[in-house]
Amino acid sequence: MTLRVVVADDQALVRTGFRMITDARDDLEVVGEASDGQEAVRLTRELAPDVVLMDVRMPVVDGIEATRQIALYGSPARVLVLTTWDVDAHVVAALRAGASGFLLKDIRPTELVDAIRLTARGDALLAPAVLSRVLDRFLRTTPDPAPPPSLPDLSGREREVLTLIGQALSNAEIAERLHLAEATVKNHVTAALRKLGLRDRVQAVVAAYDHGLVQPRRP
């Protein structure tokens, strides 16, 4: 099966480079290019890609808002944020908006195609432990937010599991911590993701922070 990709970046040279790298693979195809976030949302609706490579800083509508709009209307497309910085506050906002990971623009061609394939399969491109460090860095420097929303749809066990995901524990580590079978933990993870409308484990880490289940570590 060929994976369909939309590239969204306001620089034509970047779009052309990503298209050349992607189209050179038999299982990947760039089906559309967008020069701003509004166009990225429109193309995602029209072309139903598997993956969107989304630049953060674009005119008309930026990549964060475009990612949010794509997630809100329920597109199955997974968004990979493109950035020139490995730790950027805008990346955190994009992940909260529904992105499944982020890539540096100077990524090697083989790493780019691997990232597209991984993300299309639903695998977490950004390791939860890395995401936890990113969130810690930025959230501990921001003012205290409003009280987090409650999670009435989650069972007590699902809440426990989500908290431990937010602490970057694997399913095996959660199973050991809670004295459960790993298959049982996997079922709880799946249920929590479904109830909260989350796409992957990276989104679960963000949700654990946003709902106050995990607090940023103070320096």
Side-chain angles (χ1 to χ4, degrees), residues 6-10 15 32-37 40 52-56 58 82:
V6 163
V7 179
D9 195 291
D10 61 343
R15 297 197 307 272
E33 295 182 21
S35 59
D36 60 65
V52 179
L53 300 178
M54 183 79 75
D55 187 25
V56 171
M58 290 188 292
L82 301 171

CSV table of all heavy atoms in Angstrom, one decimal, residues 6-10 15 32-37 40 52-56 58 82:
chain,number,residue,atom,x,y,z
A,6,VAL,N,1.0,14.8,2.5
A,6,VAL,CA,0.9,16.2,2.1
A,6,VAL,C,2.0,17.0,2.8
A,6,VAL,O,2.3,16.7,4.0
A,6,VAL,CB,-0.5,16.8,2.6
A,6,VAL,CG1,-0.4,18.3,2.6
A,6,VAL,CG2,-1.6,16.3,1.6
A,7,VAL,N,2.7,17.8,2.1
A,7,VAL,CA,3.8,18.6,2.6
A,7,VAL,C,3.4,20.1,2.7
A,7,VAL,O,2.9,20.7,1.7
A,7,VAL,CB,5.1,18.5,1.7
A,7,VAL,CG1,6.2,19.4,2.3
A,7,VAL,CG2,5.5,17.1,1.5
A,8,ALA,N,3.4,20.6,3.9
A,8,ALA,CA,3.0,22.0,4.2
A,8,ALA,C,4.2,22.8,4.7
A,8,ALA,O,4.7,22.6,5.8
A,8,ALA,CB,1.9,22.0,5.2
A,9,ASP,N,4.7,23.7,3.8
A,9,ASP,CA,5.8,24.6,4.2
A,9,ASP,C,5.7,25.8,3.3
A,9,ASP,O,5.4,25.7,2.1
A,9,ASP,CB,7.1,23.9,4.0
A,9,ASP,CG,8.3,24.6,4.7
A,9,ASP,OD1,8.7,25.7,4.3
A,9,ASP,OD2,8.8,24.1,5.7
A,10,ASP,N,6.0,27.0,3.8
A,10,ASP,CA,6.0,28.2,3.0
A,10,ASP,C,7.2,28.4,2.1
A,10,ASP,O,7.2,29.3,1.3
A,10,ASP,CB,5.7,29.4,3.9
A,10,ASP,CG,6.9,29.7,4.8
A,10,ASP,OD1,7.6,28.8,5.1
A,10,ASP,OD2,7.0,30.8,5.4
A,15,ARG,N,9.7,22.3,0.2
A,15,ARG,CA,8.6,21.4,-0.3
A,15,ARG,C,9.2,20.5,-1.4
A,15,ARG,O,8.9,19.3,-1.4
A,15,ARG,CB,7.4,22.1,-0.8
A,15,ARG,CG,6.7,23.0,0.3
A,15,ARG,CD,5.3,23.4,-0.2
A,15,ARG,NE,5.3,24.0,-1.4
A,15,ARG,CZ,5.4,25.4,-1.6
A,15,ARG,NH1,5.6,26.1,-0.5
A,15,ARG,NH2,5.4,25.9,-2.8
A,32,GLY,N,0.1,16.2,-2.4
A,32,GLY,CA,-0.3,17.6,-2.3
A,32,GLY,C,0.8,18.5,-1.6
A,32,GLY,O,1.5,18.0,-0.7
A,33,GLU,N,0.9,19.7,-2.0
A,33,GLU,CA,1.8,20.7,-1.3
A,33,GLU,C,1.0,21.9,-0.9
A,33,GLU,O,0.2,22.4,-1.7
A,33,GLU,CB,2.9,21.1,-2.3
A,33,GLU,CG,3.9,20.0,-2.7
A,33,GLU,CD,5.0,20.5,-3.5
A,33,GLU,OE1,5.3,21.7,-3.5
A,33,GLU,OE2,5.6,19.6,-4.3
A,34,ALA,N,1.3,22.4,0.3
A,34,ALA,CA,0.6,23.6,0.8
A,34,ALA,C,1.7,24.6,1.2
A,34,ALA,O,2.7,24.3,1.8
A,34,ALA,CB,-0.3,23.3,2.0
A,35,SER,N,1.4,25.9,0.9
A,35,SER,CA,2.3,27.0,1.2
A,35,SER,C,1.9,27.7,2.5
A,35,SER,O,2.6,28.6,2.9
A,35,SER,CB,2.5,27.9,0.1
A,35,SER,OG,1.2,28.5,-0.3
A,36,ASP,N,0.7,27.4,3.0
A,36,ASP,CA,0.3,28.0,4.3
A,36,ASP,C,-0.7,27.0,5.0
A,36,ASP,O,-1.1,26.0,4.4
A,36,ASP,CB,-0.4,29.3,4.0
A,36,ASP,CG,-1.7,29.2,3.2
A,36,ASP,OD1,-2.6,28.6,3.6
A,36,ASP,OD2,-1.7,29.8,2.1
A,37,GLY,N,-1.0,27.3,6.3
A,37,GLY,CA,-1.8,26.4,7.0
A,37,GLY,C,-3.2,26.2,6.6
A,37,GLY,O,-3.7,25.1,6.6
A,40,ALA,N,-3.1,23.8,3.9
A,40,ALA,CA,-2.8,22.4,4.4
A,40,ALA,C,-4.1,21.8,4.9
A,40,ALA,O,-4.3,20.6,4.7
A,40,ALA,CB,-1.8,22.5,5.5
A,52,VAL,N,0.8,14.2,7.3
A,52,VAL,CA,1.0,15.6,6.9
A,52,VAL,C,2.3,16.1,7.5
A,52,VAL,O,2.5,16.0,8.7
A,52,VAL,CB,-0.1,16.5,7.3
A,52,VAL,CG1,0.2,18.0,6.9
A,52,VAL,CG2,-1.5,16.1,6.7
A,53,LEU,N,3.2,16.5,6.7
A,53,LEU,CA,4.5,17.1,7.2
A,53,LEU,C,4.2,18.6,7.3
A,53,LEU,O,4.0,19.3,6.3
A,53,LEU,CB,5.6,16.9,6.2
A,53,LEU,CG,6.0,15.5,5.9
A,53,LEU,CD1,7.1,15.4,4.9
A,53,LEU,CD2,6.4,14.7,7.2
A,54,MET,N,4.1,19.1,8.5
A,54,MET,CA,3.6,20.5,8.8
A,54,MET,C,4.6,21.4,9.4
A,54,MET,O,5.1,21.2,10.5
A,54,MET,CB,2.4,20.3,9.8
A,54,MET,CG,1.7,21.7,10.1
A,54,MET,SD,0.6,22.2,8.8
A,54,MET,CE,-0.8,21.0,9.1
A,55,ASP,N,5.0,22.5,8.7
A,55,ASP,CA,5.9,23.5,9.2
A,55,ASP,C,5.1,24.3,10.3
A,55,ASP,O,3.9,24.5,10.1
A,55,ASP,CB,6.3,24.4,8.1
A,55,ASP,CG,7.4,25.4,8.6
A,55,ASP,OD1,8.1,25.1,9.6
A,55,ASP,OD2,7.5,26.5,7.9
A,56,VAL,N,5.8,24.7,11.3
A,56,VAL,CA,5.1,25.5,12.4
A,56,VAL,C,4.8,26.9,11.9
A,56,VAL,O,3.7,27.4,12.0
A,56,VAL,CB,5.9,25.5,13.6
A,56,VAL,CG1,5.3,26.5,14.7
A,56,VAL,CG2,6.0,24.1,14.2
A,58,MET,N,4.0,29.4,9.3
A,58,MET,CA,3.5,29.7,8.0
A,58,MET,C,2.6,30.8,8.0
A,58,MET,O,1.9,31.1,9.0
A,58,MET,CB,2.9,28.4,7.4
A,58,MET,CG,3.8,27.3,7.1
A,58,MET,SD,2.9,25.9,6.3
A,58,MET,CE,1.8,25.3,7.6
A,82,LEU,N,7.3,20.1,11.5
A,82,LEU,CA,8.7,20.4,11.0
A,82,LEU,C,9.2,21.6,11.7
A,82,LEU,O,8.5,22.6,11.8
A,82,LEU,CB,8.7,20.6,9.5
A,82,LEU,CG,8.1,19.5,8.7
A,82,LEU,CD1,8.0,20.0,7.2
A,82,LEU,CD2,9.1,18.3,8.7
